[in-house]
Amino acid sequence: MAADEAPAGPDRAPVSAGWGGRRLPVAALPGLALFVVLAVCGLVGLTGGVVDGDAALTVGGAFLLLLFGSLAAFLVVASSRGSGAGTTLVPSPGGGGRAVRFAYSTVTYVLFGAVVVSSAVALLGFAVALGVRGGALSRVTAVVLAGAAVLLGWYVVVMVRHAPGGLLLSPAGIAHAALTSFYSVPWAAVHAVEARTVGTTVLVVKAEPSPQSVLRRYTGRFDTGDLRYLPFLVVRTYWLAADREAVLAALAFYLAHPELRGELATPDAVRRIAEGRTRA
């Protein structure tokens, strides 16, 4: 995660050069263009299938539109700054109090879910086609594809079961309820918070290993990959509904002001963040 850093004040976290989280990376533009073209092809196929009464063309067009339209929309949403919404007071994940939550974006959840479900349906469709075709190799491949489809379906069920995700700040520490995992660290183990660019923009809570830290993997090693940075807590900012710079400012503020962390269990923290009083 090495990168150049901008000057940091007493209440401001270091920010990687170029970190802004508001624009789609140039490297992603060809992929976005391809997804848009394929989604348009799907729309044309869907329309033609409905007009001609062709069921196969209708289903194929609908599938292309759903899969590649969702991928294109996901890239666009992931490049947005955030609405500034999504800060609420919720029960603390450790129990015995409350915490401020920067919630995950519902739109991002839906788009990601659509991509995964579409992929599962495609795998299952290929599996059925190969199974009907016959032949030992085709049947083995069909079983593998069907297993992958079931795995993706299971992933979606786990993701929905543990929704909504978010980044939580409580008097006890910082927690990240991700799609399929949960990780929390106590304030005493945290020594810095930073903004980085690692393929996409991320918030990094630099922490030391602590016996008070809690880690739960609901899908084993089959997760989004953020846990590979342990004991650091990493959040990909495109999941957050809130303005990512406001989230960074809140993290830095409460790290620098331990005497004010008690208000994270009260509406005072929500008001402070909403009014911008955590910014440098």
Side-chain angles (χ1 to χ4, degrees):
M1 289 190 180
D4 296 333
E5 295 177 359
D11 300 331
R12 178 183 173 191
V15 178
S16 301
W19 188 88
R22 291 184 293 271
R23 292 181 296 179
L24 189 69
V26 174
L29 292 177
L32 176 61
L34 175 62
F35 296 153
V36 170
V37 169
L38 291 173
V40 171
C41 290
L43 178 61
V44 172
L46 174 61
T47 303
V50 171
V51 171
D52 297 338
D54 188 330
L57 184 59
T58 300
V59 172
F63 169 75
L64 287 177
L65 178 60
L66 176 61
L67 176 59
F68 293 106
S70 297
L71 281 168
F74 184 85
L75 284 178
V76 173
V77 171
S79 67
S80 67
R81 178 172 179 169
S83 65
T87 307
T88 56
L89 202 62
V90 299
S92 176
R98 294 190 292 179
V100 172
R101 180 177 68 194
F102 294 97
Y104 271 19
S105 166
T106 301
V107 173
T108 311
Y109 252 121
V110 171
L111 292 174
F112 180 77
V115 170
V116 178
V117 169
S118 299
S119 300
V121 170
L123 290 171
L124 191 59
F126 284 125
V128 171
L130 288 171
V132 172
R133 179 180 178 182
L137 181 59
S138 295
R139 289 175 181 172
V140 170
T141 305
V143 170
V144 173
L145 292 178
V150 171
L151 183 64
L152 288 178
W154 167 68
Y155 185 92
V156 171
V157 170
V158 174
M159 181 183 77
V160 172
R161 179 183 176 187
H162 293 282
L167 181 66
L168 298 97
L169 280 63
S170 73
I174 305 169
H176 180 206
L179 295 181
T180 58
S181 65
F182 176 86
Y183 179 49
S184 69
V185 294
W187 285 107
V190 179
H191 57 85
V193 294
E194 297 181 354
R196 294 292 184 191
T197 301
V198 186
T200 183
T201 57
V202 298
L203 297 176
V204 183
V205 176
K206 291 189 171 184
E208 301 296 334
S210 169
Q212 282 77 46
S213 294
V214 176
L215 174 62
R216 302 189 186 103
R217 298 177 184 263
Y218 304 121
T219 54
R221 299 288 176 176
F222 189 49
D223 55 44
T224 55
D226 295 337
L227 296 179
R228 69 180 180 273
Y229 298 112
L230 294 175
F232 290 3
L233 186 154
V234 175
V235 183
R236 297 178 189 274
T237 57
Y238 57 70
W239 290 115
L240 299 173
D243 182 333
R244 57 204 63 185
E245 293 180 5
V247 179
L248 176 62
L251 284 168
F253 179 84
Y254 286 106
L255 177 61
H257 296 280
E259 74 280 3
L260 296 176
R261 291 173 193 162
E263 72 180 25
L264 288 168
T266 72
D268 293 342
V270 176
R271 284 194 294 269
R272 183 189 294 275
I273 294 168
E275 294 169 1
R277 289 187 285 122
T278 57
R279 296 177 183 266

